[in-house]
Amino acid sequence: MSLVTLGEVLAAARREGRGVGAFNVIQVEHAEALVAAAEETGLPVVLQISENAVRYHGALAPIALATKAVAVASFATCVLHLDHAEDEELVDEAVALGFTSVMFDGSRLDDATNRETTRAVVGRCHDAGVSVEAELGEIGGKDGVHAPGVRTDPSDAAAFAAETGVDALAVAVGSSHAMTSRTATLDLELVARIRDLVSVPLVLHGSSGVPDDTLVSAVRAGMTKVNIATHLNAAFTRAVRDHLEANPSVVDTRRYLGAGRSAVQAEAARLLRLLAG
Ligand SMILES: [Zn+2]
C-alpha cells in the first residue's frame, strides 16, 4: 500500500476518538517490526525518523528509503514522518525523499520566529502534499532540558494552529522526553480544554514515561497522536541483552537483532490496540 499523510490518518482517528501510535525508527529492524505490528493489528502506524537518528546515521536517505520500502511493500496503512526537525533543509530533503509528514520543531526559536518559520514550512509542505506537525513551547527532556512545569496555554495553541495552518500540534501537558520509568502524570483537564479550542489533532510527545491507563485517559480527553520511542527501545534492548546472556557464544547479528525486532513488534502491536481503544 502506498504511504498516507498524517493529516488523513489523524482526522479519521480524531473523528472516531481513537489514538494513533507514532513510533521511532532507528535501525531497519524497527521499521520491519512496526510495519508488522500494523499488519497484525489492522491499525495505522506512524513511522518516525528523528533528526537525532539522522545525526546517528550521518544521513537521512539510507534509513528513510529503507523504511519507505518496508512500508510500501506492506498492506498496512503507514505514515512516513520526520520527527523533531529543527533544520529546514532537512524538512525539504524529507519532502523530496517521499515523506508524507514532517514535524517542524521551532520550539527553541522565539515565539514570533517560530510562527513565521512554521507558516513558511507549512506552505512548502502543503504544496507537496505533505502534512506538518509543529510544537508550541518546549516539551521537556530533549538534550537534558527537563521542564515538567511547562504547560501549553489553550488559547495560545488555538491561535498558533490557526495562524500557521499546521495539521497537528504537539502540546505540553506534563510528559517529558526519554523517561525510562512510566511514572509521568498528565494534566488531563488541560488536554480537554486544549482539545475544545484547537481545531487540529493534538500530539503527545514523551509518552514512554506515561503508564497505560493514563495513555488511554489522554486519548479519551482528546489526544490523537501518541509518540513512543524510549519505551520501545527498552523492549528492543532487553530482548537483545537476554538473548546474548542466554547465548554467550552467538556471533550471527541476526540472532539477537531478530530477538529485538520480535520484542518491538509485540509491544508495538499491544500499544496500537491500547491507543485505538
Ligand atoms: Zn518528541
Side-chain angles (χ1 to χ4, degrees):
M1 169 158 190
S2 56
L3 296 165
V4 296
T5 65
L6 184 68
E8 208 177 310
V9 165
L10 295 189
R14 174 160 158 145
R15 247 191 332 267
E16 295 159 16
R18 284 186 288 109
V20 176
F23 308 133
N24 286 55
V25 172
I26 306 173
Q27 276 78 40
V28 71
E29 281 81 2
H30 288 103
E32 292 161 348
L34 301 176
V35 171
E39 287 184 343
E40 181 191 326
T41 58
L43 294 164
V45 69
V46 182
L47 306 167
Q48 315 200 127
I49 299 173
S50 73
E51 194 171 298
N52 285 338
V54 173
R55 213 168 286 133
Y56 166 74
H57 286 292
L60 175 61
I63 189 65
L65 293 177
T67 302
K68 186 178 167 187
V70 173
V72 168
S74 157
F75 59 80
T77 300
C78 303
V79 176
L80 183 59
H81 177 81
L82 180 69
D83 187 30
H84 278 289
E86 296 183 357
D87 176 357
E88 281 187 80
E89 279 179 29
L90 190 65
V91 168
D92 295 338
E93 189 187 350
V95 170
L97 287 170
F99 278 65
T100 53
S101 178
V102 301
M103 180 204 184
F104 175 69
D105 180 357
S107 62
R108 282 204 254 207
L109 303 171
D110 68 72
D111 192 54
T113 313
N114 184 12
R115 279 164 206 259
E116 191 184 318
T117 314
T118 302
R119 191 165 46 230
V121 166
V122 168
R124 299 206 297 282
C125 286
H126 282 184
D127 284 347
V130 173
S131 302
V132 179
E133 173 187 334
E135 180 171 328
L136 175 65
E138 195 157 18
I139 296 161
K142 281 268 158 190
D143 302 320
V145 182
H146 187 76
V150 172
R151 294 290 185 274
T152 299
D153 175 71
S155 46
D156 201 18
F160 182 89
E163 271 173 42
T164 57
V166 293
D167 303 281
L169 188 66
V171 292
V173 294
S175 59
S176 186
H177 285 104
M179 280 180 70
T180 51
S181 65
R182 301 181 86 199
T183 52
T185 53
L186 299 181
D187 190 339
L188 296 172
E189 193 259 338
L190 177 60
V191 173
R193 281 198 291 135
I194 300 172
R195 161 73 172 77
D196 287 344
L197 280 184
V198 176
S199 58
V200 300
L202 305 179
V203 185
L204 184 65
H205 280 243
S207 314
S208 290
V210 182
D212 280 355
D213 56 342
T214 310
L215 288 177
V216 170
S217 304
V219 169
R220 289 209 183 109
M223 280 291 174
T224 304
K225 177 172 178 270
V226 177
N227 290 8
I228 299 177
T230 302
H231 174 72
L232 288 172
N233 270 338
F236 195 120
T237 302
R238 197 179 314 115
V240 170
R241 188 180 289 120
D242 288 350
H243 186 92
L244 291 174
E245 275 171 8
N247 305 276
S249 60
V250 69
V251 289
D252 186 338
T253 57
R254 287 169 291 197
R255 301 279 173 224
Y256 54 89
L257 292 178
R261 181 176 60 186
S262 299
V264 171
Q265 179 183 337
E267 184 59 5
R270 194 189 71 79
L271 289 166
L272 287 174
R273 288 193 183 99
L274 179 82
L275 296 169

